[in-house]
Amino acid sequence: MEKVKEGDHVLLYDGRKRKFLVKAEYGRQLHTDKGIIELGELVNRIYGTKIKTHLGKEFYILKPNFEDLVYGLFERKTQVLYPKDIGYMIVKAAISNGSRVVEAGTGSGVLTAFLARAVAPDGKVYSYEVREEYIELAKRNLARVGLSESVVLKNKDVTKGIEEVEIDAVFLDMPNPWEVIPSAFHSLKHGGVFLAFVPTVNQMEKTAIRLREEGFHFVECVELMLRNYRVSVIEGVRPSTLGIRHTGYIISARKP
Amino acid sequence: MEKVKEGDHVLLYDGRKRKFLVKAEYGRQLHTDKGIIELGELVNRIYGTKIKTHLGKEFYILKPNFEDLVYGLFERKTQVLYPKDIGYMIVKAAISNGSRVVEAGTGSGVLTAFLARAVAPDGKVYSYEVREEYIELAKRNLARVGLSESVVLKNKDVTKGIEEVEIDAVFLDMPNPWEVIPSAFHSLKHGGVFLAFVPTVNQMEKTAIRLREEGFHFVECVELMLRNYRVSVIEGVRPSTLGIRHTGYIISARKP
Amino acid sequence: MEKVKEGDHVLLYDGRKRKFLVKAEYGRQLHTDKGIIELGELVNRIYGTKIKTHLGKEFYILKPNFEDLVYGLFERKTQVLYPKDIGYMIVKAAISNGSRVVEAGTGSGVLTAFLARAVAPDGKVYSYEVREEYIELAKRNLARVGLSESVVLKNKDVTKGIEEVEIDAVFLDMPNPWEVIPSAFHSLKHGGVFLAFVPTVNQMEKTAIRLREEGFHFVECVELMLRNYRVSVIEGVRPSTLGIRHTGYIISARKP
Amino acid sequence: MEKVKEGDHVLLYDGRKRKFLVKAEYGRQLHTDKGIIELGELVNRIYGTKIKTHLGKEFYILKPNFEDLVYGLFERKTQVLYPKDIGYMIVKAAISNGSRVVEAGTGSGVLTAFLARAVAPDGKVYSYEVREEYIELAKRNLARVGLSESVVLKNKDVTKGIEEVEIDAVFLDMPNPWEVIPSAFHSLKHGGVFLAFVPTVNQMEKTAIRLREEGFHFVECVELMLRNYRVSVIEGVRPSTLGIRHTGYIISARKP
């Protein structure tokens, strides 16, 4: 029977479509189309119970999980990666607790956070980002989920070289991953995995060809299409009308 | 400059399509359509170098990673899950080092191994399997990748109840996941994640409807379609002729 | 050098994204975000040339084709079928000039128009529609594209029976196609094709199972996913962000 | 109650998976894994009835439709187009009885046959093919389905120019469709439709960019993914394990 503590991040959910990630703080309010909730009133409530708006509408008081926090709490100034691509990349990279990985660019830090969590507590993420503002942004975001310890943010241009060696995996979410291939080759340990995520076919083509030229093995180009289904007792099952959105292509390869 | 030790699992790769996961053992041979390799000769070779068959064809001597070992080394008597679905499920489950998860059925132990690796060293996987032969199979497989410590194999029928409580996530890869929903509800902690993987639309429908009936939140039904691309300097880029294979549907939900 | 005649339907196109299907009529205007065009001024212009708005912005004067007219001119009060599904259904039905086909329900008449065009001038479409208002709507729509002669609109409930016999194909775009299967069997000639279009998996399942029960052969269930690509000299090729929308499932079968 | 005549093409079907397109001829046999059928015995049988093999297994005697004949009867020496792409292209081309279309290359004549059928009896297909052997092949194939009258086979290199003018649509199924764009522009009438089918992204990109450079409007690049579903009373509904195969990309555009 865990209770909400002051300062906790809480997920408010109407049981249907609306969810809000809020902070349990006195003096703050959440304004929804179903009414106003005093956020201070969340303190000492039991997770799983409900709270009413001033209009009497109920919202569940839920504990957010890591995915909620990263996508709900992080300030985002860049396009971010989503679970379908992140999950696949982490499995392909074969990383786990203790792995040492290089990432570029840091951006808002969403991928950074998932990588840090995958290699924590013993591993480390070295994250390169050329724009200083994003370094600051990612620093704030990572602190919000308690992962600052597992990440070394580096305000450097990764195309100028990777400083770490004997790295387990390199993750590139940047427009020109092919420019990092020679230094990734140098930085990775034998069997280490190269991963890049790019939105266009042309970037995928350029990266894959360059990887083979530079001697990487097992160059694979894939795309993951996520389809949502609506299941209803009355209407049955059909794909969601939202459709299958394009995110990007994933290129993976291994250093021989 | 790491060397192959006797008993090491080694990945032999012709640089194109063929790869073989072998053990560096004296007195054993690998027969390929490119000739025979004496596996004892692998001992003391340096990873990344090449070895020749008796016909003079070369194979790279590579160090297998976790994915290679699980899919190459595990004896399989059941349909197994693949990286695209496993990666997504692990991200959705929001598990990491220290998490305690329940799984059923164990089958060949492929998902078990990925879960164990995700929660190691401090977490634990409680894996239910009703058929004793699969318990033995999974035990051998998990030992091969050094993950026995992180898994508790239970030769029990999960539809009869889950014994653990305050669980972070439940993973079901079995024909009738809906029968486990009430006990999953009981076993999960607040905010804990339910995940099921099923091959047919009807199973997805039944599971999703039952989850809502039992009070689960955020019921999501998705399908991940993996498309491979062939990239060639001469022929350009096109989807692989293999096509997009169906594996199954993933249903996720959260305990309120 | 064909000229626009008074009363012609004309497609106005800005060369980028905007297109408007208008009628060349004196005294009418088209208001766009690029300015106003006097539609009377279109008369006697040459197709392929440009016309200016009162703000000086140019629009091409184009001749609409059948697809433009059906999707641009038809009043629509129902969900309509799209080219990807219509084209496939017509090929599977193996219909052509002279074929006699039954359709239900008529709805706005979009599929009716494509079918009529496929079987004209010698064939005929018998189109059943239970709601009288749609019969009137379809009548007006078909007249707009000059296809009234090829269609017999029938304000009858097709589940009560099909009056025509020795029919080449039956097309069903309605919620309960399985109720029409026995009478479709009776109405079709040997080798005649049954086609149904439904939005949910459950409707597809019910229809397919019933078709086999009633003795139909070659029961096939398919789905066509249309993906749009953006091609740009600067940005390269990527799937459109619109995504792959779900329309429905197509069930086909043949009478033995 | 139509009877099989000597020389008729007949579809033999075991009611499950196997189907054979045969000719009702005396002195010929069909050998199947379910036994031998004397093809002469088909003569005078009634369509829809069954015939037994010498092992007593039954096959339905069915009348093939146009799709069966084209895919079953045509000798094929080239990759051919399939219904999903053909149907879409014909709808986008907005052709019908009386249309005049240009096609290249003829290949085995599969697309030619569908185009001929769409424009018959009053229209015409002008089909260019540079390799003389394919001209002969297509001639034989088209004769088999009675469409010789609607097609003018031209043993010429379409990249050297199109001789016809005021054409309704141009269909290109060849490796380098962009080389035909200027002459297609010249040959098409105002509003006429350009269509190309290519297997790689690079060909699609090159074609789309060139089309815009040459002044074509409404350049659209799409891909149709066909998914087959298995429906079973016992096992429910799931996508076929065959998967979604790649065929190619369709580029369409209109002459202003």
Side-chain angles (χ1 to χ4, degrees), chain C residues 16-232:
Chain C
R16 301 184 60 84
K17 289 274 167 190
R18 284 172 202 78
K19 55 178 180 175
F20 302 95
L21 188 65
V22 298
K23 208 168 179 173
E25 286 181 307
Y26 291 104
R28 291 275 209 110
Q29 294 177 326
L30 173 72
H31 290 252
T32 81
D33 59 344
K34 294 188 164 182
I36 298 165
I37 294 171
E38 294 289 337
L39 298 180
E41 286 187 19
L42 287 166
V43 179
N44 284 326
R45 299 273 185 140
I46 294 163
Y47 280 112
T49 60
K50 294 176 186 171
I51 191 168
K52 283 185 183 166
T53 69
H54 81 292
L55 299 175
K57 303 285 180 185
E58 292 184 325
F59 276 79
Y60 288 97
I61 300 167
L62 305 176
K63 205 169 179 170
N65 70 12
F66 187 69
E67 192 189 347
D68 298 319
L69 292 173
V70 170
Y71 292 104
L73 209 59
F74 276 33
E75 296 169 60
R76 296 192 226 167
K77 293 186 178 164
T78 57
Q79 188 71 12
V80 300
L81 285 178
Y82 284 94
K84 71 175 176 89
D85 297 310
I86 291 174
Y88 183 78
M89 289 170 85
I90 289 176
V91 169
K92 290 303 286 185
I95 58 173
S96 64
N97 175 40
S99 299
R100 295 171 64 245
V101 310
V102 164
E103 182 211 19
T106 313
S108 312
V110 165
L111 176 59
T112 323
F114 279 99
L115 294 177
R117 201 159 193 251
V119 305
D122 302 328
K124 199 72 94 182
V125 179
Y126 303 91
S127 189
Y128 287 71
E129 172 59 63
V130 77
R131 293 152 300 180
E132 203 175 341
E133 57 181 302
Y134 291 146
I135 288 283
E136 293 309 313
L137 175 68
K139 189 180 286 179
R140 289 195 300 275
N141 283 337
L142 292 166
R144 287 186 174 103
V145 288
L147 286 168
S148 307
E149 292 298 296
S150 299
V151 181
V152 180
L153 291 168
K154 307 181 72 162
N155 187 194
K156 292 191 173 175
D157 182 350
V158 74
T159 66
K160 299 276 189 292
I162 296 173
E163 294 166 336
E164 295 72 26
V165 289
E166 286 293 299
I167 285 297
D168 291 290
V170 169
F171 290 80
L172 302 175
D173 175 17
M174 52 190 292
N176 49 343
W178 53 86
E179 293 187 26
V180 188
I181 293 173
S183 57
F185 192 94
H186 175 259
S187 168
L188 286 165
K189 67 180 186 192
H190 169 75
V193 182
F194 173 98
L195 282 150
F197 178 88
V198 294
T200 75
V201 178
N202 311 64
Q203 290 166 305
M204 171 172 73
E205 183 177 25
K206 224 162 164 173
T207 306
I209 288 172
R210 188 70 188 273
L211 281 165
R212 286 199 291 252
E213 284 171 359
E214 296 285 335
F216 276 88
H217 284 164
F218 305 126
V219 178
E220 287 177 11
C221 296
V222 308
E223 172 189 24
L224 278 168
M225 295 153 79
L226 179 75
R227 194 177 213 185
N228 277 285
Y229 285 84
R230 277 169 36 189
V231 175
S232 147

Side-chain angles (χ1 to χ4, degrees), chain A residues 62-63 65, chain B residues 93 167-168 188-194 253-256:
Chain A
L62 305 177
K63 205 169 178 168
N65 69 13
Chain B
I167 285 296
D168 292 291
L188 285 166
K189 67 181 188 193
H190 169 75
V193 183
F194 172 98
R254 240 184 282 172
K255 178 176 168 177

Side-chain angles (χ1 to χ4, degrees), chain A:
Chain A
M1 300 291 255
E2 196 180 346
K3 285 182 182 176
V4 177
K5 289 188 291 291
E6 196 180 338
D8 270 10
H9 290 290
V10 173
L11 198 61
L12 295 175
Y13 177 52
D14 74 346
R16 301 183 62 82
K17 289 274 167 190
R18 283 171 204 79
K19 53 177 182 176
F20 302 95
L21 189 64
V22 297
K23 207 168 179 174
E25 286 181 307
Y26 291 104
R28 292 273 209 110
Q29 295 178 324
L30 172 73
H31 290 252
T32 81
D33 59 345
K34 294 187 165 183
I36 298 164
I37 294 171
E38 294 291 336
L39 297 180
E41 287 188 18
L42 288 166
V43 179
N44 284 326
R45 299 271 185 142
I46 294 163
Y47 281 111
T49 60
K50 295 177 186 172
I51 190 169
K52 282 186 183 165
T53 68
H54 81 293
L55 298 175
K57 302 285 180 187
E58 292 184 326
F59 276 79
Y60 288 96
I61 300 167
L62 305 177
K63 205 169 178 168
N65 69 13
F66 187 69
E67 191 189 348
D68 298 319
L69 292 173
V70 170
Y71 292 103
L73 209 59
F74 276 31
E75 295 169 62
R76 296 192 226 167
K77 293 187 178 164
T78 57
Q79 187 72 11
V80 300
L81 285 178
Y82 284 95
K84 70 175 177 88
D85 296 311
I86 290 174
Y88 184 78
M89 289 170 85
I90 288 176
V91 168
K92 290 303 286 186
I95 57 173
S96 63
N97 175 40
S99 299
R100 293 171 63 245
V101 310
V102 164
E103 183 210 20
T106 314
S108 312
V110 166
L111 177 58
T112 323
F114 279 98
L115 294 177
R117 202 161 193 250
V119 304
D122 303 327
K124 199 72 96 181
V125 178
Y126 303 91
S127 188
Y128 287 72
E129 172 59 64
V130 77
R131 293 152 301 181
E132 202 175 342
E133 57 183 301
Y134 290 147
I135 289 284
E136 293 309 314
L137 176 67
K139 188 179 288 180
R140 288 195 301 275
N141 283 338
L142 292 166
R144 286 185 174 105
V145 288
L147 286 168
S148 307
E149 292 298 295
S150 299
V151 181
V152 180
L153 292 169
K154 307 182 72 163
N155 187 194
K156 293 193 171 174
D157 182 350
V158 74
T159 66
K160 299 278 189 290
I162 295 173
E163 294 165 336
E164 295 71 26
V165 288
E166 286 294 300
I167 284 297
D168 292 290
V170 169
F171 290 80
L172 302 174
D173 175 18
M174 52 189 293
N176 49 342
W178 53 87
E179 293 187 25
V180 188
I181 292 173
S183 56
F185 192 93
H186 175 259
S187 167
L188 285 165
K189 68 181 186 192
H190 170 76
V193 182
F194 173 98
L195 282 151
F197 178 87
V198 293
T200 75
V201 178
N202 310 64
Q203 290 166 305
M204 170 171 74
E205 184 177 23
K206 224 163 163 172
T207 306
I209 288 172
R210 188 70 189 273
L211 281 166
R212 285 199 291 251
E213 283 172 0
E214 295 286 335
F216 276 88
H217 285 164
F218 305 125
V219 178
E220 287 177 10
C221 295
V222 308
E223 172 189 24
L224 278 169
M225 295 153 79
L226 178 76
R227 194 176 212 188
N228 277 285
Y229 285 84
R230 276 169 38 189
V231 174
S232 147
V233 178
I234 297 156
E235 293 173 35
V237 182
R238 67 160 87 190
S240 132
T241 43
L242 247 179
I244 302 172
R245 320 298 298 235
H246 176 65
T247 58
Y249 301 97
I250 296 169
I251 308 106
S252 61
R254 242 185 279 171
K255 178 175 169 178

Side-chain angles (χ1 to χ4, degrees), chain D residues 2-12 20-30 37-47 51 60-64 69 73:
Chain D
E2 197 181 342
K3 286 181 181 178
V4 176
K5 289 186 292 292
E6 197 179 338
D8 271 10
H9 291 290
V10 173
L11 198 62
L12 295 175
F20 302 96
L21 189 65
V22 298
K23 208 169 180 173
E25 286 181 308
Y26 291 103
R28 291 276 209 106
Q29 294 177 326
L30 172 72
I37 293 171
E38 294 290 336
L39 298 180
E41 286 187 19
L42 288 167
V43 179
N44 285 325
R45 299 271 185 143
I46 294 164
Y47 281 111
I51 191 169
Y60 288 96
I61 300 167
L62 305 176
K63 205 167 178 172
L69 291 172
L73 209 60

Side-chain angles (χ1 to χ4, degrees), chain B residues 199-202 223 225 227 229 235-247 249, chain D residues 199-202 223 225 227 229 235-247 249:
Chain B
T200 75
V201 177
N202 311 63
E223 174 189 23
M225 296 154 79
R227 194 175 212 187
Y229 285 84
E235 293 174 36
V237 182
R238 68 159 87 188
S240 133
T241 43
L242 247 179
I244 302 172
R245 320 298 297 235
H246 175 64
T247 57
Y249 302 96
Chain D
T200 75
V201 177
N202 311 63
E223 173 189 23
M225 296 154 79
R227 193 175 213 188
Y229 285 84
E235 294 173 35
V237 182
R238 68 161 85 188
S240 133
T241 44
L242 247 178
I244 302 172
R245 320 299 297 235
H246 175 64
T247 58
Y249 302 96

